[in-house]
Amino acid sequence: MEDRIIYPELNEYLRSQLPQHEGLLKELEEYAADPYVPIIQREVAQFLKVFFSYSSPKTILEVGTAIGYSAIYFSSLMGSGGKIVTIERDPEMIEKAMANIARAGFSDRITVVEGDAQNVLGTIDGPFDVVFLDAAKGQYGKFLPKCLDLLKTGGTLITDNILYRGIVASEELAPRKHITIARNLRNYIYEISHSARLDTTILPLGDGLGISRKLF
Ligand SMILES: C[S@@+](CC[C@H](N)C(=O)[O-])C[C@H]1O[C@@H](n2cnc3c(N)ncnc32)[C@H](O)[C@@H]1O
């Protein structure tokens, strides 16, 4: 499927300007490339590094751990005082994430919660400074009420892959098998853009990044 968010040549140029990661993060980036495991794109990682340097979150709830890449990256930005709770439903991913988190030396800073977010979000103790949604895109709307409950007033809801390669722009752009996801994402975008409780901006960065501040 063609990426219709930003011209590929511009994307490639901007990527070439990003700092390279070293050590475990670099190794995980290489691992994620083959076999393909979706992890946050490098421009999203760099944006969040700058954003966190201003907002200094101490607690992050992540939905969608995969191999633990973003949790390890965020934890390295937050330092030893930061705590992350991350939810994952795939047992194989959980095993890999736990091993990677242990290798990073962050087992005391990152808690992996096993289960479908829809079932386990209600069991988690908040509130958090940041909620990072990076799981099944078609389900974001279902997660939203619980995520907002778990977010501090003044905290930030960050939604990755919110533009889903640009197909949210119009139903004609969505291949048949992605129509439901595109519809669900459009409803989600409408909700976070029109909620009185949120101030939202959507950036055409990576696969699209939603940034919403909880007002009350
Ligand atoms: C895009 S990957 C997460 C990548 C990770 N945040 C990173 O950047 O390193 C999405 C992950 O969410 C998990 N997932 C999808 N839907 C889920 C759900 N409803 N509950 C829990 N985990 C879910 C998938 O198994 C997958 O590992």
mmCIF file of all heavy atoms in Angstrom, residues 192-214:
data_model
loop_
_atom_site.group_PDB
_atom_site.id
_atom_site.type_symbol
_atom_site.label_atom_id
_atom_site.label_comp_id
_atom_site.label_asym_id
_atom_site.label_seq_id
_atom_site.Cartn_x
_atom_site.Cartn_y
_atom_site.Cartn_z
ATOM 1 N N ILE A 192 -11.329 12.476 19.420
ATOM 2 C CA ILE A 192 -10.287 13.208 20.145
ATOM 3 C C ILE A 192 -10.165 14.654 19.663
ATOM 4 O O ILE A 192 -9.684 15.509 20.385
ATOM 5 C CB ILE A 192 -8.902 12.494 20.107
ATOM 6 C CG1 ILE A 192 -8.367 12.352 18.689
ATOM 7 C CG2 ILE A 192 -8.951 11.151 20.822
ATOM 8 C CD1 ILE A 192 -6.909 11.894 18.635
ATOM 9 N N SER A 193 -10.637 14.920 18.451
ATOM 10 C CA SER A 193 -10.562 16.295 17.934
ATOM 11 C C SER A 193 -11.724 17.156 18.427
ATOM 12 O O SER A 193 -11.616 18.386 18.444
ATOM 13 C CB SER A 193 -10.576 16.301 16.397
ATOM 14 O OG SER A 193 -9.508 15.546 15.892
ATOM 15 N N HIS A 194 -12.845 16.512 18.802
ATOM 16 C CA HIS A 194 -14.031 17.279 19.207
ATOM 17 C C HIS A 194 -14.369 17.135 20.687
ATOM 18 O O HIS A 194 -15.349 17.730 21.146
ATOM 19 C CB HIS A 194 -15.243 16.869 18.351
ATOM 20 C CG HIS A 194 -15.095 17.276 16.923
ATOM 21 N ND1 HIS A 194 -14.371 16.523 16.010
ATOM 22 C CD2 HIS A 194 -15.528 18.362 16.255
ATOM 23 C CE1 HIS A 194 -14.384 17.136 14.841
ATOM 24 N NE2 HIS A 194 -15.086 18.257 14.960
ATOM 25 N N SER A 195 -13.595 16.362 21.438
ATOM 26 C CA SER A 195 -13.883 16.205 22.858
ATOM 27 C C SER A 195 -13.556 17.500 23.606
ATOM 28 O O SER A 195 -12.475 18.074 23.424
ATOM 29 C CB SER A 195 -13.020 15.065 23.430
ATOM 30 O OG SER A 195 -13.023 15.136 24.832
ATOM 31 N N ALA A 196 -14.498 17.909 24.482
ATOM 32 C CA ALA A 196 -14.250 19.111 25.286
ATOM 33 C C ALA A 196 -13.127 18.858 26.289
ATOM 34 O O ALA A 196 -12.520 19.801 26.795
ATOM 35 C CB ALA A 196 -15.537 19.494 26.026
ATOM 36 N N ARG A 197 -12.845 17.581 26.551
ATOM 37 C CA ARG A 197 -11.817 17.248 27.559
ATOM 38 C C ARG A 197 -10.407 17.273 26.978
ATOM 39 O O ARG A 197 -9.442 17.149 27.723
ATOM 40 C CB ARG A 197 -12.080 15.841 28.128
ATOM 41 C CG ARG A 197 -13.383 15.720 28.873
ATOM 42 C CD ARG A 197 -13.593 14.299 29.334
ATOM 43 N NE ARG A 197 -12.734 13.976 30.454
ATOM 44 C CZ ARG A 197 -12.548 12.728 30.921
ATOM 45 N NH1 ARG A 197 -13.144 11.710 30.340
ATOM 46 N NH2 ARG A 197 -11.759 12.522 31.947
ATOM 47 N N LEU A 198 -10.296 17.403 25.663
ATOM 48 C CA LEU A 198 -8.970 17.285 25.035
ATOM 49 C C LEU A 198 -8.663 18.444 24.100
ATOM 50 O O LEU A 198 -9.555 18.943 23.410
ATOM 51 C CB LEU A 198 -8.896 15.992 24.210
ATOM 52 C CG LEU A 198 -9.017 14.658 24.932
ATOM 53 C CD1 LEU A 198 -9.101 13.520 23.915
ATOM 54 C CD2 LEU A 198 -7.830 14.436 25.874
ATOM 55 N N ASP A 199 -7.408 18.836 24.087
ATOM 56 C CA ASP A 199 -6.877 19.692 23.019
ATOM 57 C C ASP A 199 -5.996 18.796 22.181
ATOM 58 O O ASP A 199 -5.036 18.221 22.705
ATOM 59 C CB ASP A 199 -5.987 20.794 23.630
ATOM 60 C CG ASP A 199 -6.683 22.126 23.662
ATOM 61 O OD1 ASP A 199 -7.716 22.271 22.986
ATOM 62 O OD2 ASP A 199 -6.187 23.017 24.374
ATOM 63 N N THR A 200 -6.327 18.654 20.905
ATOM 64 C CA THR A 200 -5.622 17.662 20.075
ATOM 65 C C THR A 200 -4.971 18.298 18.861
ATOM 66 O O THR A 200 -5.540 19.198 18.232
ATOM 67 C CB THR A 200 -6.626 16.585 19.597
ATOM 68 O OG1 THR A 200 -7.052 15.832 20.723
ATOM 69 C CG2 THR A 200 -6.019 15.640 18.571
ATOM 70 N N THR A 201 -3.779 17.817 18.559
ATOM 71 C CA THR A 201 -3.170 18.151 17.267
ATOM 72 C C THR A 201 -2.709 16.836 16.632
ATOM 73 O O THR A 201 -2.294 15.915 17.343
ATOM 74 C CB THR A 201 -1.992 19.144 17.420
ATOM 75 O OG1 THR A 201 -1.475 19.467 16.127
ATOM 76 C CG2 THR A 201 -0.854 18.584 18.257
ATOM 77 N N ILE A 202 -2.825 16.744 15.324
ATOM 78 C CA ILE A 202 -2.427 15.513 14.635
ATOM 79 C C ILE A 202 -1.305 15.848 13.655
ATOM 80 O O ILE A 202 -1.465 16.708 12.781
ATOM 81 C CB ILE A 202 -3.633 14.856 13.944
ATOM 82 C CG1 ILE A 202 -4.595 14.379 15.048
ATOM 83 C CG2 ILE A 202 -3.197 13.682 13.060
ATOM 84 C CD1 ILE A 202 -5.908 13.865 14.582
ATOM 85 N N LEU A 203 -0.192 15.177 13.840
ATOM 86 C CA LEU A 203 0.993 15.487 13.043
ATOM 87 C C LEU A 203 1.200 14.431 11.953
ATOM 88 O O LEU A 203 1.136 13.228 12.247
ATOM 89 C CB LEU A 203 2.233 15.506 13.943
ATOM 90 C CG LEU A 203 2.171 16.428 15.166
ATOM 91 C CD1 LEU A 203 3.398 16.212 16.041
ATOM 92 C CD2 LEU A 203 2.088 17.877 14.726
ATOM 93 N N PRO A 204 1.485 14.854 10.731
ATOM 94 C CA PRO A 204 1.788 13.875 9.670
ATOM 95 C C PRO A 204 3.239 13.402 9.793
ATOM 96 O O PRO A 204 4.059 13.588 8.908
ATOM 97 C CB PRO A 204 1.539 14.672 8.388
ATOM 98 C CG PRO A 204 1.800 16.086 8.770
ATOM 99 C CD PRO A 204 1.483 16.233 10.228
ATOM 100 N N LEU A 205 3.520 12.784 10.924
ATOM 101 C CA LEU A 205 4.885 12.356 11.249
ATOM 102 C C LEU A 205 4.875 10.836 11.325
ATOM 103 O O LEU A 205 3.992 10.266 11.969
ATOM 104 C CB LEU A 205 5.231 12.961 12.617
ATOM 105 C CG LEU A 205 6.663 12.874 13.093
ATOM 106 C CD1 LEU A 205 7.554 13.822 12.305
ATOM 107 C CD2 LEU A 205 6.744 13.231 14.581
ATOM 108 N N GLY A 206 5.841 10.178 10.692
ATOM 109 C CA GLY A 206 5.816 8.718 10.687
ATOM 110 C C GLY A 206 4.539 8.257 10.014
ATOM 111 O O GLY A 206 4.230 8.646 8.881
ATOM 112 N N ASP A 207 3.736 7.473 10.741
ATOM 113 C CA ASP A 207 2.456 6.988 10.219
ATOM 114 C C ASP A 207 1.304 7.836 10.772
ATOM 115 O O ASP A 207 0.162 7.422 10.782
ATOM 116 C CB ASP A 207 2.291 5.509 10.630
ATOM 117 C CG ASP A 207 1.217 4.795 9.836
ATOM 118 O OD1 ASP A 207 0.918 5.212 8.709
ATOM 119 O OD2 ASP A 207 0.671 3.806 10.363
ATOM 120 N N GLY A 208 1.657 9.030 11.257
ATOM 121 C CA GLY A 208 0.667 9.925 11.846
ATOM 122 C C GLY A 208 0.691 9.814 13.358
ATOM 123 O O GLY A 208 0.636 8.720 13.911
ATOM 124 N N LEU A 209 0.812 10.958 14.032
ATOM 125 C CA LEU A 209 0.921 10.955 15.492
ATOM 126 C C LEU A 209 -0.082 11.944 16.070
ATOM 127 O O LEU A 209 -0.069 13.125 15.710
ATOM 128 C CB LEU A 209 2.353 11.364 15.883
ATOM 129 C CG LEU A 209 2.780 11.077 17.310
ATOM 130 C CD1 LEU A 209 2.899 9.569 17.540
ATOM 131 C CD2 LEU A 209 4.108 11.756 17.627
ATOM 132 N N GLY A 210 -0.962 11.446 16.941
ATOM 133 C CA GLY A 210 -1.926 12.315 17.622
ATOM 134 C C GLY A 210 -1.354 12.722 18.974
ATOM 135 O O GLY A 210 -0.828 11.890 19.707
ATOM 136 N N ILE A 211 -1.457 14.012 19.285
ATOM 137 C CA ILE A 211 -1.005 14.518 20.588
ATOM 138 C C ILE A 211 -2.204 15.244 21.191
ATOM 139 O O ILE A 211 -2.689 16.219 20.617
ATOM 140 C CB ILE A 211 0.151 15.552 20.435
ATOM 141 C CG1 ILE A 211 1.295 14.996 19.597
ATOM 142 C CG2 ILE A 211 0.630 16.047 21.796
ATOM 143 C CD1 ILE A 211 2.211 14.062 20.306
ATOM 144 N N SER A 212 -2.687 14.737 22.327
ATOM 145 C CA SER A 212 -3.882 15.323 22.948
ATOM 146 C C SER A 212 -3.590 15.627 24.412
ATOM 147 O O SER A 212 -3.133 14.750 25.141
ATOM 148 C CB SER A 212 -5.057 14.333 22.909
ATOM 149 O OG SER A 212 -5.235 13.792 21.621
ATOM 150 N N ARG A 213 -3.872 16.858 24.801
ATOM 151 C CA ARG A 213 -3.700 17.232 26.216
ATOM 152 C C ARG A 213 -5.042 17.114 26.916
ATOM 153 O O ARG A 213 -6.050 17.623 26.414
ATOM 154 C CB ARG A 213 -3.175 18.661 26.297
ATOM 155 C CG ARG A 213 -2.936 19.153 27.713
ATOM 156 C CD ARG A 213 -2.311 20.547 27.631
ATOM 157 N NE ARG A 213 -2.456 21.276 28.880
ATOM 158 C CZ ARG A 213 -1.583 21.218 29.881
ATOM 159 N NH1 ARG A 213 -0.520 20.474 29.789
ATOM 160 N NH2 ARG A 213 -1.792 21.920 30.980
ATOM 161 N N LYS A 214 -5.048 16.425 28.066
ATOM 162 C CA LYS A 214 -6.306 16.277 28.810
ATOM 163 C C LYS A 214 -6.550 17.544 29.642
ATOM 164 O O LYS A 214 -5.730 17.897 30.491
ATOM 165 C CB LYS A 214 -6.235 15.044 29.730
ATOM 166 C CG LYS A 214 -7.488 14.829 30.566
ATOM 167 C CD LYS A 214 -7.432 13.520 31.329
ATOM 168 C CE LYS A 214 -8.407 13.511 32.476
ATOM 169 N NZ LYS A 214 -8.392 12.246 33.222
#
